[in-house]
């Protein structure tokens, strides 16, 4: 089964990428894998504090996933899979793609401002684009729900 990999964060463009992936998966018989990444900056503190912060970051990712999972099940009939990794974002995205052979498309949301597409899009597509093992779909952050539905 082909999976659409979406990287979960707190940005509005993540919602556009998630919506697109859910609709495409529903229409094509695919699945959605949501990757939550705990960055090294989230837990580089004293040992006890760092562990507590790591646990809080994991709980926050799981809580957000529950909300998005319910939406995907209710709206598109898709039950997404959650993967949580720790490390630098681009490195962990590439590692997940390599470790899961069912990932067929990486879906990223682009920053809606005029300041470039966003750091993850720039790093993965700009610097790594020629060596990525899967196609990348970039969903503009400024797209409306209606426009996403129309192109999905």
């Amino acid at each position: 089964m082909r999976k659409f990999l979406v990287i979960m964060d707190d940005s509005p463009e993540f919602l556009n990428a998630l919506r697109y992936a859910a609709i495409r998966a529903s229409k094509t018989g695919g699945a959605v894998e949501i990757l939550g990444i705990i960055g090294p900056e989230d837990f580089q503190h004293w040992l006890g504090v760092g562990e507590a912060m790591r646990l809080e970051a994991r709980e926050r990712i799981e809580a957000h996933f529950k909300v998005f999972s319910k939406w995907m099940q209710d709206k598109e009939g898709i039950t997404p899979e959650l993967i949580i990794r720790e490390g630098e974002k681009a490195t962990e995205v590439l590692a997940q793609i390599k470790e899961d052979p069912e990932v067929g498309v990486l879906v990223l949301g682009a920053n809606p401002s005029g300041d470039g597409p966003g750091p993850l899009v720039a790093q993965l597509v700009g610097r790594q684009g020629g060596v990525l093992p899967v196609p990348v779909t970039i969903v503009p952050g400024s797209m409306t729900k209606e426009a996403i539905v129309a192109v999905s």
Side-chain angles (χ1 to χ4, degrees):
M1 174 184 314
R2 178 177 65 163
K3 292 181 185 176
F4 293 84
L5 178 62
V6 182
I7 314 311
M8 181 168 44
D9 60 21
D10 295 330
S11 70
E13 51 267 25
F14 158 69
L15 298 176
N16 279 0
L18 185 65
R19 179 173 286 114
Y20 177 85
I23 294 169
R24 289 297 302 149
S26 177
K27 288 183 176 181
T28 62
V32 175
E33 187 172 274
I34 298 175
L35 177 59
I37 301 172
I38 301 170
E41 66 280 354
D42 291 337
F43 52 85
Q44 288 184 344
H45 297 281
W46 296 294
L47 186 60
V49 174
E51 278 303 312
M53 292 179 78
R54 179 182 285 125
L55 181 60
E56 287 174 12
R58 180 173 287 278
E59 289 171 351
R60 186 175 59 250
I61 288 170
E62 290 170 350
H64 285 135
F65 174 76
K66 285 180 185 175
V67 171
F68 299 127
S69 178
K70 180 170 179 6
W71 173 83
M72 290 174 73
Q73 290 169 357
D74 292 348
K75 296 290 185 186
E76 300 301 330
I78 296 289
T79 301
E81 175 184 0
L82 174 64
I83 304 294
I84 299 176
R85 298 181 70 105
E86 294 182 14
E88 192 272 322
K89 273 190 178 184
T91 301
E92 295 306 320
V93 169
L94 293 171
Q96 184 60 31
I97 292 169
K98 288 177 184 170
E99 289 175 20
D100 187 345
E102 291 185 337
V103 171
V105 179
L106 173 61
V107 181
L108 300 172
N111 184 355
S113 74
D115 299 332
L120 187 59
V121 173
Q123 188 171 9
L124 287 172
V125 177
R127 294 182 216 151
Q128 307 273 348
V131 297
L132 281 170
V134 298
V136 179
T137 298
I138 300 174
V139 182
S142 61
M143 279 187 86
T144 64
K145 288 188 250 186
E146 296 78 19
I148 292 170
V149 169
V151 300
S152 298

